[in-house]
């Protein structure tokens, strides 16, 4: 950089590079390529940059054809916004006079009077060693995969960047979203949760955007939408992969314009919120298959954080059990798991992840090692009984023991109702049926 270069240092806008998954800091070098100030440049890493001939500007130009307060540049997760401030000679982009545009991440050139500004991307990689913490908010874990996720979450918490949390059901995506909100500058403002899978499209539209009285049948009073309610704070769209295709363009317009319009109303209302999204779907595949809009995907997938399933971090299970028990001490039915029980839990694959583990511990379910009669014991295995076997065979026997007894207790408690059993366990109904078939329990409704 030249001797004229100025710098502005801050946390800035972060994003995840698609090809590598590396975290990067978005920066732009604003350089004068023609005009009296040719060679002058400034590095924009955060917020806004005011450009003009008045000394109060961040980037002062001596060109007499440039207005006193000519232009504002604002760093966004999607690129850089250029907004003309009613200048005398205007601002041009690609030959056309503009009032406000969002330039893509590859930058471009702006013409201000006789001065041309080159907007050049100057992104840098952000080194991220694993976090030294064993938690982020209420998310817990000492495993390497969790501490790697914590490192990203800690780094982006104070950034304005949109975050997409990816992971299976029960991995803690809402806890991660809440942790991001609590660690951000918006912590004292609302944290609004929207479950995109919980309502039909018409109800979800009304919930998101709100409505006026009489806007449709049943709208007997005015209602503020959840997007508007999140103003100043954080909007968490859980399971965004379930968002109906016809609602996706409307959400995209809100993200692009920072405005929302209630159903039945002509007025646009400004909104300022940070978006955090979560999905258990592979949105890359959803985009390829035409079920999710490409432009919306790139708006929300700025920073991508994967939360690993419990089977990939089994060493965290004892820690999680202790934590769950510590939170449940005052409740009924708590228990102290034996070494054998913890061993069996660590051998189990936990399709419902931490949510399923929490349900098991909170319900005080015991493995038959401790509670079953002799007849049932003969069909089960403990860690001590399988130590002489090959690893895969020993693990399989312990997992079978856990699955069978867990399922027996679960179905008994719900009178054989599979749907209620699946809901409590935090796993899919068809998975319960597969386990029942595997362990010869027959079909129960």
């Amino acid at each position: 950089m030249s001797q004229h270069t100025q710098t502005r240092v801050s946390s800035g806008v972060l994003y995840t590079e698609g090809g590598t998954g590396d975290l990067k800091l978005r920066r732009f070098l604003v350089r004068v390529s023609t005009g009296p100030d040719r060679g002058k440049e400034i590095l924009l890493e955060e917020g806004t940059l005011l450009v003009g001939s008045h000394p109060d500007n961040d980037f002062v130009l001596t060109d007499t054809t440039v207005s006193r307060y000519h232009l504002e540049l604002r760093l966004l997760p999607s690129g850089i916004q250029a907004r003309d401030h009613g200048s005398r000679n205007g601002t041009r982009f690609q030959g056309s006079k503009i009032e406000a545009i969002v330039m893509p991440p590859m930058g471009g050139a702006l013409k201000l009077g006789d001065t041309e500004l080159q907007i050049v991307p100057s992104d840098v990689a952000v080194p991220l060693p694993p976090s030294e913490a064993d938690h982020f908010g209420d998310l817990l874990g000492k495993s390497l995969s969790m501490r790697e996720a914590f490192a990203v979450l800690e780094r982006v918490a104070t950034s304005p960047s949109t975050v997409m949390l990816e992971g299976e059901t029960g991995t803690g995506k809402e806890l991660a979203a809440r942790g991001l909100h609590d660690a951000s500058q918006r912590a004292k403002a609302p944290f609004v949760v929207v479950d995109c899978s919980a309502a039909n499209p018409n109800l979800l539209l009304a919930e998101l955007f709100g409505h006026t009285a009489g806007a449709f049948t049943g709208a007997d009073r005015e209602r503020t939408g959840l997007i508007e309610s999140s103003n100043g704070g954080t909007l968490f769209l859980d399971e965004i992969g379930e968002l109906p295709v016809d609602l996706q363009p409307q959400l995209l317009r809100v993200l692009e314009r920072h405005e929302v319009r209630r159903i039945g109303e002509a007025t646009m209302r400004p909104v300022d919120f940070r978006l955090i999204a979560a999905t258990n779907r592979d949105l890359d595949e959803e985009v390829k298959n035409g079920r999710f809009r490409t432009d919306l995907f790139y708006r929300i997938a700025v920073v991508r954080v994967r939360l690993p399933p419990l089977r990939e971090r089994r060493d965290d299970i004892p820690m999680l059990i202790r934590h769950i028990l510590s939170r449940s001490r005052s409740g009924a039915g708590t228990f102290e798991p034996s070494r054998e029980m913890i061993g069996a839990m660590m051998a189990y694959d936990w399709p419902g992840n931490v949510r399923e583990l929490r349900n098991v511990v909170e319900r005080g379910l015991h493995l038959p090692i401790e509670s079953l009669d002799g007849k049932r014991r003969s069909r089960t295995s403990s860690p001590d009984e399988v130590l002489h076997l090959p690893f895969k065979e020993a693990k399989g026997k312990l997992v079978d023991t856990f699955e069978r007894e867990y399922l027996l207790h679960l179905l008994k408690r719900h009178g054989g109702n599979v749907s209620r059993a699946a809901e409590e366990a935090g796993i899919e109904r068809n998975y319960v049926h597969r386990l029942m078939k595997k362990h010869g329990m027959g079909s129960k409704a």
Side-chain angles (χ1 to χ4, degrees):
M1 297 181 187
S2 74
Q3 61 181 348
H4 300 292
T5 302
Q6 304 171 36
T7 61
R8 301 179 66 175
V9 180
S10 73
S11 59
V13 171
L14 297 164
Y15 71 96
T16 305
E17 189 174 49
T20 65
D22 293 337
L23 194 67
K24 289 199 166 183
L25 175 67
R26 176 153 288 150
R27 310 188 310 176
F28 288 94
L29 188 65
V30 182
R31 178 188 297 128
V32 180
S33 56
T34 62
D37 301 291
R38 182 178 178 181
K40 187 174 185 178
E41 56 190 32
I42 186 170
L43 188 62
L44 176 60
E45 292 186 333
E46 179 197 34
T48 61
L49 180 76
L50 296 177
V51 182
S53 59
H54 193 278
D56 286 346
N57 287 283
D58 302 304
F59 197 51
V60 180
L61 302 174
T62 61
D63 185 354
T64 57
T65 64
V66 171
S67 294
R68 288 161 56 84
Y69 300 97
H70 196 112
L71 176 73
E72 176 188 283
L73 299 174
R74 179 183 295 274
L75 198 60
L76 301 174
S78 55
I80 188 167
Q81 183 187 65
R83 182 182 297 276
D84 187 90
H85 278 192
S87 64
R88 182 175 68 256
N89 293 316
T91 300
R92 296 182 179 274
F93 176 68
Q94 296 180 346
S96 299
K97 195 171 184 179
I98 60 103
E99 292 183 4
I101 60 165
V102 176
M103 302 172 69
M106 65 280 297
L110 295 169
K111 188 76 172 177
L112 289 66
D114 294 333
T115 292
E116 182 176 87
L117 296 180
Q118 291 287 335
I119 313 297
V120 183
S122 185
D123 301 348
V124 293
V126 179
L128 274 183
S131 173
E132 295 182 359
D134 62 2
H135 69 281
F136 177 79
D138 287 333
L139 269 181
L140 299 179
K142 295 180 180 179
S143 59
L144 178 61
S145 59
M146 284 302 285
R147 290 187 295 111
E148 287 175 341
F150 292 164
V152 181
L153 293 169
E154 290 165 357
R155 187 66 178 81
V156 303
T158 57
S159 166
S161 299
T162 298
V163 178
M164 185 167 75
L165 302 166
E166 301 171 296
E168 298 175 6
T169 299
T171 50
K173 298 186 291 294
E174 185 170 343
L175 292 180
R178 182 78 214 199
L180 285 169
H181 173 77
D182 290 344
S184 74
Q185 296 176 342
R186 299 174 180 264
K188 295 182 179 179
F191 176 73
V192 178
V193 179
V194 180
D195 185 351
C196 298
S197 67
N200 68 48
N202 292 331
L203 290 177
L204 186 57
L205 177 67
E207 284 190 12
L208 283 171
F209 292 87
H211 56 78
T212 60
F216 51 85
T217 303
D220 55 350
R221 53 190 171 83
E222 185 178 273
R223 178 176 178 177
T224 302
L226 295 175
I227 293 176
E228 193 177 341
S229 297
S230 69
N231 191 39
T234 300
L235 179 67
F236 175 48
L237 297 182
D238 197 9
E239 301 306 344
I240 195 169
E242 305 286 341
L243 188 69
V245 174
D246 57 344
L247 290 187
Q248 293 176 21
Q250 300 181 61
L251 176 61
L252 180 63
R253 282 194 291 272
V254 173
L255 298 177
E256 289 178 338
R257 301 175 183 176
H258 305 283
E259 294 178 327
V260 66
R261 180 166 59 87
R262 295 179 181 178
I263 300 172
E265 189 175 70
T267 305
M268 300 298 293
R269 300 169 182 264
V271 287
D272 169 32
F273 60 87
R274 184 190 190 180
L275 177 65
I276 299 174
T279 181
N280 62 9
R281 292 191 178 190
D282 184 342
L283 284 195
D284 295 279
E285 284 298 317
E286 296 293 297
V287 169
K288 289 178 185 177
N289 294 326
R291 292 189 291 267
F292 202 87
R293 289 180 61 110
T294 303
D295 44 8
L296 179 59
F297 174 79
Y298 286 115
R299 280 284 181 178
I300 64 174
V302 179
V303 175
R304 302 175 69 170
V305 184
R306 177 181 178 268
L307 296 180
L310 193 52
R311 63 183 175 274
E312 292 182 10
R313 57 184 191 105
R314 298 177 192 272
D315 289 347
D316 287 336
I317 290 175
M319 173 189 187
L320 291 169
I321 293 173
R322 289 193 298 271
H323 176 74
I324 295 166
L325 287 172
S326 71
R327 294 289 184 93
S328 305
R329 286 300 178 196
S330 59
T334 58
F335 68 101
E336 294 291 342
S338 67
R339 180 174 62 87
E340 290 82 1
M341 185 175 189
I342 291 176
M345 286 180 162
M346 291 180 69
Y348 181 58
D349 279 343
W350 298 103
N353 294 295
V354 180
R355 182 179 300 161
E356 183 185 0
L357 174 67
R358 184 178 65 245
N359 289 339
V360 169
V361 175
E362 287 182 347
R363 295 293 182 181
L365 294 179
H366 291 266
L367 284 176
I369 298 163
E370 299 172 336
S371 62
L372 301 178
D373 58 32
K375 183 178 179 181
R376 190 172 295 173
R377 272 181 203 271
S378 65
R379 299 199 301 266
T380 67
S381 302
S382 72
D384 290 339
E385 295 169 347
V386 298
L387 290 178
H388 66 285
L389 297 175
F391 174 79
K392 286 186 178 179
E393 186 178 348
K395 175 184 173 183
K397 286 183 176 295
L398 288 174
V399 170
D400 285 347
T401 293
F402 180 82
E403 287 179 346
R404 179 178 177 79
E405 301 308 326
Y406 176 28
L407 200 57
L408 282 170
H409 282 74
L410 190 66
L411 290 170
K412 181 179 179 181
R413 195 163 49 252
H414 291 287
N417 188 299
V418 174
S419 296
R420 289 203 295 267
E423 182 179 358
E424 180 193 313
I427 57 180
E428 298 295 330
R429 190 175 186 272
N430 60 0
Y431 189 81
V432 175
H433 279 296
R434 290 202 300 271
L435 288 177
M436 292 169 66
K437 183 178 180 181
K438 174 182 176 181
H439 296 289
M441 296 183 187
S443 178
K444 299 182 181 181

